[in-house]
Amino acid sequence: MAREHVIGLEALEAKGWWKTHKWLLLRRASQLSILALFLLGPWAGIWLIKGNLSSSLLLDTVPMTDPYLFVQTLVTGHLPETAAVLGAVIIAVFYMVIGGRVYCAWVCPVNLVTDAAQWLRDRLGISTATRLSHNARYWMLGMTLVVAMVTGGVAWEMINPVSMLHRGLIFGFGLAWAVILAIFLLDLLVSKRAWCGHLCPMGAFYNLLGRASLVRVTAAQRADCNDCMDCYAVCPEPQVIRPALKGAEHNIGPVILDANCTNCGRCIDVCSKDVFRFGVRSNNSSINSPNAGSLSGKTEVLS
Amino acid sequence: MSNTTTNAARRRFLVDMARTATGVALFGVGLGFYARQSTALPAEALRPPGALPEEQFLGACVRCGLCVRDCPFDTLKLSELGDAVATGTPYFTARDVPCEMCDDIPCVVACPTGALDHGLTDIDDARMGVAVLVDQENCLNFLGLRCDVCYRVCPVIDKAITLDLQHNKRSGHHALFIPVVHSEHCTGCGKCEKSCVLPEAAIKVLPTRLARGEAAEHYRLGWEEKRKAGESLVPPDRERQFNLPEGVRYDYQGEGVIFEQGAAPTPEATPFDDDPLKTLNRGLEGR
């Protein structure tokens, strides 16, 4: 009998430990260093950045404001000051270029929590039947805006686990840890990747923001795919892979265009055949060229 | 056959969508109620200077904490989940750390959204609340002592709080120095509440909605109107005329009936009588 399939083992044997964990580690480094940057002020008195992910001031000059929160304040009927407008534009443009849900994978502190839940879920072999709709997040997004409009307050911020976790770490938790624990348990015991993959309205907003983003993961070498399914197993939004990876015969380009792709790069890590790489949206020729979508643009001669 | 499959798929799609929408809508209703309830700011929690009216503030504040960071006296705090103040919004408790009323108002400058109104440039114009001397029974000055601490620490001394003299009826020959707050000048900084020497402050900063009443719009204070106009706006009373015998005058609101020389009252007349008519006609009996 064949040995049990271990996710990523094939890649580990083919590429070594570093190359199978490169993007994961870079992502963790990004998440933690952004958090550290915010904590440097309150903990060490070094104020490179003040505030939190909702709105902050970098080096006492550059304002940054969460565009989702900005839209919520607009909906309540308040027109914010220039600093917030500028801050929201800066952040919006940034994610419009590098991918909306890059926020989810590379910045958001809740990702650490839900990834931990998913890791534990895999380790304990928990599988649950509760299925949430992938579109629930858009309903959630609409709901938060409607509630903001009706109550005239930024109601979602009263329970938003994302800002609550970040603000909690920087300014003090109160009972916010309970909300974070609830998210962890939801993902662990109720439904797979329930929060980040199905419910979070922030993810939905950043998804919409990054609909036309430049930086995308591309299945450039999709001809080499050996159907090991490891990329589906590690992907937080597995439904985004198929059209790009298996689209050759339907004349669909190799670039993952689904805005729910978080550009986490885990598929790049875990693929023993190096099918995936980061690329740009425009290099999406459906002709199965091995270098379509390569960010570096260097060409290799087909042998 | 394929038609049936399509129908089933469509049916499942619609049911799934309805299920999701219902779940989210229910959640939204709960969130709405929760949000509505937490608009009731507890009376001890004061917003930073320049804060918009509470309902607008909750829509304008993005909970970033930049005002808290730029407060040099650690007065401001961000509410945490479980606090009675809407989660993530800035507030201060005067009895713990009052507002020091910085001239440059750094908290307002730091606010990226204008939830703290950037139009506030003079801290004396801030209205974070209004101080109210809530306990006249325990206030030392009301007891006739010279505590005066609230008056002395007031950054707007002699305008926002004055000491008004009253007769001390208990001792009979001392004055009471009554601290009186003038809402026109009180910024609600809370220095008075912080420094009240009593274990529980006798003077407290309350949100304006609790601290103040409101006169009806059509009320006019006659003496104010008179001062503004330079003369009384109501016509003077007509001089009253009484039909009295010779040698007798009637002083309305004064002495009453006055007998001029030769018209003395009868000796048996009493100053008061049960019959008001008799009092009115005092001195006229038997004439």
Side-chain angles (χ1 to χ4, degrees), chain A residues 85-281:
Chain A
V85 179
L86 196 61
V89 169
I90 290 172
I91 295 300
V93 168
F94 178 74
Y95 286 108
M96 278 172 170
V97 173
I98 66 159
R101 293 206 60 201
V102 164
Y103 177 83
C104 303
W106 292 77
V107 177
C108 181
V110 170
N111 180 271
L112 290 162
V113 177
T114 56
D115 272 1
Q118 183 58 35
W119 176 83
L120 194 59
R121 205 179 151 91
D122 286 341
R123 288 297 296 266
L124 299 178
I126 298 172
S127 116
T128 48
T130 317
R131 286 275 162 82
L132 299 164
S133 162
H134 279 293
N135 293 327
R137 58 186 121 204
Y138 302 112
W139 289 96
M140 289 284 285
L141 175 61
M143 180 274 286
T144 60
L145 296 179
V146 168
V147 173
M149 199 184 301
V150 171
T151 63
V154 188
W156 179 242
E157 282 312 296
M158 305 220 173
I159 55 167
N160 183 0
V162 176
S163 53
M164 208 168 266
L165 176 57
H166 197 247
R167 194 171 52 231
L169 288 166
I170 296 169
F171 287 95
F173 260 107
L175 296 175
W177 60 267
V179 174
I180 306 308
L181 182 67
I183 294 292
F184 180 81
L185 293 177
L186 176 75
D187 269 29
L188 180 68
L189 300 172
V190 180
S191 183
K192 183 175 173 164
R193 298 209 181 268
W195 186 254
C196 300
H198 299 82
L199 295 174
C200 180
M202 253 181 129
F205 182 88
Y206 278 86
N207 164 327
L208 297 178
L209 204 59
R211 282 282 150 138
S213 71
L214 187 66
V215 182
R216 302 269 72 192
V217 172
T218 171
Q221 312 275 11
R222 59 187 174 183
D224 295 347
C225 174
N226 63 354
D227 293 325
C228 75
M229 305 295 280
D230 279 359
C231 55
Y232 292 102
V234 293
C235 182
E237 303 276 355
Q239 76 281 10
V240 308
I241 298 177
R242 174 163 292 278
L245 186 61
K246 296 294 165 196
E249 60 257 45
H250 303 293
N251 224 20
I252 299 172
V255 176
I256 296 176
L257 292 175
D258 193 316
N260 270 326
C261 169
T262 66
N263 280 6
C264 73
R266 200 67 187 110
C267 54
I268 305 176
D269 280 345
V270 87
C271 180
S272 62
K273 301 293 178 195
D274 278 334
V275 166
F276 299 96
R277 67 178 63 172
F278 276 112
V280 293
R281 170 176 297 267

Side-chain angles (χ1 to χ4, degrees), chain B residues 116-173:
Chain B
L116 307 181
D117 189 354
H118 287 212
L120 179 73
T121 49
D122 182 352
I123 190 64
D124 285 347
D125 294 336
R127 293 294 177 267
M128 295 169 267
V130 179
V132 180
L133 207 153
V134 287
D135 190 354
Q136 305 191 351
E137 290 172 354
N138 284 312
C139 171
L140 296 181
N141 273 38
F142 263 86
L143 294 175
L145 298 148
R146 288 302 302 277
C147 164
D148 299 1
V149 170
C150 55
Y151 163 76
R152 301 219 170 268
V153 298
C154 179
V156 202
I157 186 168
D158 280 326
K159 285 184 184 157
I161 302 184
T162 55
L163 292 178
D164 287 12
L165 264 61
Q166 282 180 17
H167 175 59
N168 185 341
K169 278 194 276 186
R170 179 179 55 79
S171 73
H173 54 277

Side-chain angles (χ1 to χ4, degrees), chain B residues 13-270:
Chain B
F13 171 77
L14 289 174
V15 168
D16 272 359
M17 194 171 78
R19 195 173 61 120
T20 306
T22 309
V24 171
L26 284 177
F27 185 52
V29 169
L31 176 64
F33 277 119
Y34 175 55
R36 194 43 80 78
Q37 271 197 335
S38 39
T39 55
L41 189 67
E44 307 82 40
L46 302 173
R47 291 296 185 197
L52 299 175
E54 187 62 12
E55 285 226 339
Q56 288 173 47
F57 182 81
L58 289 175
C61 173
V62 292
R63 285 79 163 153
C64 67
L66 284 171
C67 53
V68 175
R69 286 294 176 237
D70 280 8
C71 174
F73 297 98
D74 288 337
T75 300
L76 296 178
K77 286 182 287 190
L78 271 198
S79 158
E80 296 168 4
L81 190 66
D83 293 348
V85 181
T87 311
T89 56
Y91 72 102
F92 70 100
T93 311
R95 188 66 166 167
D96 297 341
V97 191
C99 172
E100 295 288 342
M101 287 174 61
C102 311
D103 282 333
D104 50 350
I105 332 181
C107 50
V108 171
V109 176
C111 179
T113 64
L116 307 181
D117 189 354
H118 287 212
L120 179 73
T121 49
D122 182 352
I123 190 64
D124 285 347
D125 294 336
R127 293 294 177 267
M128 295 169 267
V130 179
V132 180
L133 207 153
V134 287
D135 190 354
Q136 305 191 351
E137 290 172 354
N138 284 312
C139 171
L140 296 181
N141 273 38
F142 263 86
L143 294 175
L145 298 148
R146 288 302 302 277
C147 164
D148 299 1
V149 170
C150 55
Y151 163 76
R152 301 219 170 268
V153 298
C154 179
V156 202
I157 186 168
D158 280 326
K159 285 184 184 157
I161 302 184
T162 55
L163 292 178
D164 287 12
L165 264 61
Q166 282 180 17
H167 175 59
N168 185 341
K169 278 194 276 186
R170 179 179 55 79
S171 73
H173 54 277
H174 293 97
L176 300 178
F177 290 76
I178 302 298
V180 177
V181 177
H182 304 274
S183 61
E184 189 190 345
H185 296 289
C186 177
T187 64
C189 71
K191 297 276 279 187
C192 52
E193 179 177 344
K194 168 68 182 171
S195 52
C196 179
V197 300
L198 299 180
E200 178 73 42
I203 189 165
K204 286 178 173 147
V205 176
L206 300 179
T208 309
R209 74 191 151 87
L210 293 183
R212 301 211 59 205
E214 191 183 343
E217 212 177 309
H218 63 283
Y219 284 8
R220 296 288 179 276
L221 301 176
W223 52 96
E224 295 281 344
E225 300 300 318
K226 185 175 176 182
R227 190 180 46 77
K228 274 190 263 174
E231 57 172 346
S232 177
L233 297 175
V234 288
D237 285 345
R238 267 200 315 183
E239 201 182 327
R240 283 164 203 270
Q241 296 191 334
F242 306 95
N243 191 10
L244 296 168
E246 211 164 310
V248 179
R249 287 187 297 112
Y250 189 76
D251 185 4
Y252 177 67
Q253 290 186 325
E255 288 177 57
V257 182
I258 298 163
F259 296 91
E260 276 156 17
Q261 267 187 335
T266 50
E268 69 271 20
T270 54

Side-chain angles (χ1 to χ4, degrees), chain A residues 25-38:
Chain A
L25 291 175
L26 285 175
R27 207 156 59 79
R28 293 283 176 255
S30 162
Q31 292 166 333
L32 293 173
S33 53
I34 288 170
L35 204 51
L37 207 59
F38 276 100

